[in-house]
Amino acid sequence: MANDIPDIVIGRLPVYLRALRRLAQDGEKATTSSQELGERLGISSAQIRKDLSHFGEFGKQGTGYHIDYLIEQLRHILHLDVEWPVVLVGAGFLGHALASYGGFHRRGFRIVWIFDNDPEKIGVKMGGILVQPVEELEDTVRAEKARVAILAVPASAAQEITDILVEAGVQSILTYAPISLVVPENVQVQYSDPVVQLQRMTYYLHP
Amino acid sequence: MANDIPDIVIGRLPVYLRALRRLAQDGEKATTSSQELGERLGISSAQIRKDLSHFGEFGKQGTGYHIDYLIEQLRHILHLDVEWPVVLVGAGFLGHALASYGGFHRRGFRIVWIFDNDPEKIGVKMGGILVQPVEELEDTVRAEKARVAILAVPASAAQEITDILVEAGVQSILTYAPISLVVPENVQVQYSDPVVQLQRMTYYLHP
DNA sequence: TAGATTGTTAATCGATTAACAATC
DNA sequence: TAGATTGTTAATCGATTAACAATC
């Protein structure tokens, strides 16, 4: 069963989910509409309705979408009704920031292992988690069946660590290294390179 | 003169640039081809040629693209032949990681101001830069004509800080806050929310 | 010359939007 | 009932790709 639903649609669902959670938190109303959501996100209401219609009928004519119900549906679609344990590789400043970030909790993820190759870092606690030697990465991933990883290592180490992660069974990698990774097609990669993101904007700045 | 060239094309150029710089650094050859580049990036060669053709003719039949020359052209197109001073708001762990990141240098950016609202942080040096009180943000941005900002503040502060930045003249914002920002249409925003990125991948994981 | 690879065209493929019947 | 808003259709719009003449 291959994937019927466009990647680009899947990519928007977490953004919808985030906006819905905000609406739920504000607690002003129990329902919202594709129009209201679209205005907040800068997306057309038709697109939101179309995206959601790939998965079912979640709204009611005349009233819109029940916020809590739609949140539950999106969580289910995105497989967020379980908490995913995450392996973090790289315990530099960025690794430290990620390990200490409170935002994973309740949104589906928890960093539970941290690895680094620097003897100074090994044994240190970050976000309450002990930093382990990278030599143990492969065995740990395999034994614990970790499927989600975050890469916060220098470009020079990124492909090598990726190969280890993939070999050990990781299927989803969020990478901060400024390099394009080569992975098998069943492995998902999301890139976060601040420089690339900044460079996407300077085109529009007239010097 | 409005923008003729699709956003999606602009978005790929920094990725091409990054790959080209890697090739230049390896120093094995002076030229590359759309095919080689495409294989490294997982993009079709036709797309690379098409993207570049929006801006001119940079290659030669039979030999491909001269790497250094194409790098220079892309830098020029993306307005990276000047170094952009960047204002960073938020001096938490993430702000610290960004301030200490060596990767901005030589890729077109330099963080030169850091602001925070925490008295404990103000006066501290991060990446060699003094953290200043957020009360001075607006005046500094205006006086120094900063046009690029990075937001590393909690969701609760993000829209408020955004409004100040926009009011003071910032036109490009890279935000790490887990919230959709509302900005005028002449302001560019790039989002980096690790949870959203992870959530985009769990859809493809079968629990 | 033979081989390689560009830039571009036209065809294909895919995504977005406008509009509206259905219905809460 | 009147007003609002969904889910869906068909039309439009835009992006990608295959193919190839041009030419280095």
Side-chain angles (χ1 to χ4, degrees):
Chain A
M1 181 214 70
N3 191 3
D4 233 357
I5 292 157
D7 280 3
I8 198 160
V9 172
I10 302 300
R12 282 189 292 261
L13 300 186
V15 177
Y16 299 164
L17 177 56
R18 190 172 68 178
L20 288 163
R21 286 207 133 128
R22 251 194 116 60
L23 284 169
Q25 213 180 358
D26 294 352
E28 286 182 15
K29 330 183 244 71
T31 63
T32 186
S33 66
S34 58
Q35 189 175 46
E36 180 180 48
L37 216 42
E39 274 166 19
R40 293 193 171 222
L41 299 176
I43 290 179
S44 80
S45 63
Q47 181 160 83
I48 292 175
R49 294 198 301 279
K50 186 114 223 277
D51 285 353
L52 295 176
S53 75
H54 283 100
F55 303 94
E57 307 192 355
F58 305 121
K60 270 204 186 69
Q61 286 101 323
T63 50
Y65 301 92
H66 187 82
I67 294 169
D68 288 338
Y69 176 72
L70 188 51
I71 288 173
E72 279 321 299
Q73 294 299 313
L74 287 174
R75 290 186 64 208
H76 184 68
I77 291 164
L78 294 170
H79 301 147
L80 299 170
D81 28 27
V82 297
E83 183 179 76
W84 293 93
V86 177
V87 53
L88 169 63
V89 188
F93 286 127
L94 180 59
H96 191 185
L98 289 162
S100 309
Y101 181 51
F104 291 117
H105 183 57
R106 284 207 151 277
R107 292 175 75 200
F109 304 91
R110 182 195 300 264
I111 293 177
V112 294
W113 309 279
I114 308 178
F115 294 90
D116 202 293
N117 68 349
D118 179 353
E120 297 276 307
K121 302 266 172 55
I122 292 161
V124 170
K125 274 203 169 185
M126 286 190 179
I129 298 154
L130 220 52
V131 178
Q132 298 177 259
V134 75
E135 287 73 21
E136 290 170 24
L137 174 62
E138 184 163 1
D139 286 350
T140 303
V141 168
R142 211 187 294 273
E144 305 278 358
K145 300 199 193 316
R147 301 175 72 188
V148 180
I150 301 180
L151 219 53
V153 301
S156 55
Q159 185 64 56
E160 187 191 349
I161 298 292
T162 297
D163 294 342
I164 294 171
L165 289 168
V166 169
E167 172 65 24
V170 162
Q171 287 161 292
S172 299
I173 299 172
L174 168 57
T175 176
Y176 291 86
I179 184 187
S180 292
L181 299 177
V182 178
V183 297
E185 63 170 322
N186 65 317
V187 175
Q188 299 287 316
V189 178
Q190 287 277 316
Y191 293 93
S192 184
D193 177 345
V195 178
V196 163
Q197 292 190 288
L198 291 171
Q199 289 177 343
R200 283 178 178 151
M201 299 190 285
T202 49
Y203 172 79
Y204 301 96
L205 293 181
H206 293 287
Chain B
M1 182 214 69
N3 192 3
D4 233 357
I5 293 157
D7 279 4
I8 199 160
V9 172
I10 302 300
R12 281 190 292 260
L13 299 185
V15 178
Y16 300 163
L17 177 56
R18 191 173 67 179
L20 288 162
R21 287 208 131 130
R22 250 193 118 61
L23 284 170
Q25 214 180 357
D26 294 352
E28 287 183 15
K29 329 183 244 72
T31 62
T32 186
S33 65
S34 58
Q35 189 175 45
E36 180 180 48
L37 218 42
E39 275 165 19
R40 292 192 171 224
L41 299 176
I43 290 178
S44 80
S45 63
Q47 181 161 83
I48 292 175
R49 294 199 301 280
K50 185 115 224 276
D51 284 353
L52 296 175
S53 76
H54 284 102
F55 303 94
E57 306 191 355
F58 304 122
K60 270 204 187 69
Q61 287 101 325
T63 50
Y65 301 92
H66 188 82
I67 294 170
D68 288 340
Y69 177 71
L70 188 50
I71 288 172
E72 278 322 300
Q73 294 299 312
L74 287 174
R75 289 186 64 206
H76 184 68
I77 291 164
L78 294 171
H79 301 145
L80 300 171
D81 29 26
V82 296
E83 183 179 77
W84 293 94
V86 176
V87 54
L88 168 62
V89 189
F93 287 126
L94 179 60
H96 191 186
L98 289 163
S100 310
Y101 180 52
F104 292 117
H105 183 58
R106 284 209 150 273
R107 291 175 76 199
F109 303 92
R110 182 195 298 266
I111 293 177
V112 294
W113 309 279
I114 308 177
F115 294 90
D116 202 295
N117 69 348
D118 179 353
E120 296 276 308
K121 302 265 172 57
I122 292 161
V124 169
K125 273 202 170 184
M126 288 190 178
I129 299 155
L130 219 54
V131 178
Q132 298 178 261
V134 74
E135 287 73 21
E136 289 170 24
L137 174 63
E138 184 162 2
D139 286 350
T140 303
V141 168
R142 211 186 294 273
E144 305 277 358
K145 302 202 193 313
R147 301 174 73 189
V148 180
I150 301 180
L151 219 53
V153 301
S156 54
Q159 185 63 55
E160 187 190 351
I161 299 292
T162 296
D163 294 342
I164 293 171
L165 289 168
V166 169
E167 172 66 21
V170 163
Q171 288 160 290
S172 299
I173 299 172
L174 169 56
T175 177
Y176 290 86
I179 181 187
S180 292
L181 299 176
V182 178
V183 297
E185 62 170 322
N186 65 317
V187 174
Q188 299 285 318
V189 178
Q190 287 276 317
Y191 292 92
S192 185
D193 178 346
V195 177
V196 163
Q197 292 189 288
L198 291 171
Q199 289 176 344
R200 283 178 178 150
M201 299 190 284
T202 48
Y203 172 76
Y204 301 96
L205 293 182
H206 294 286

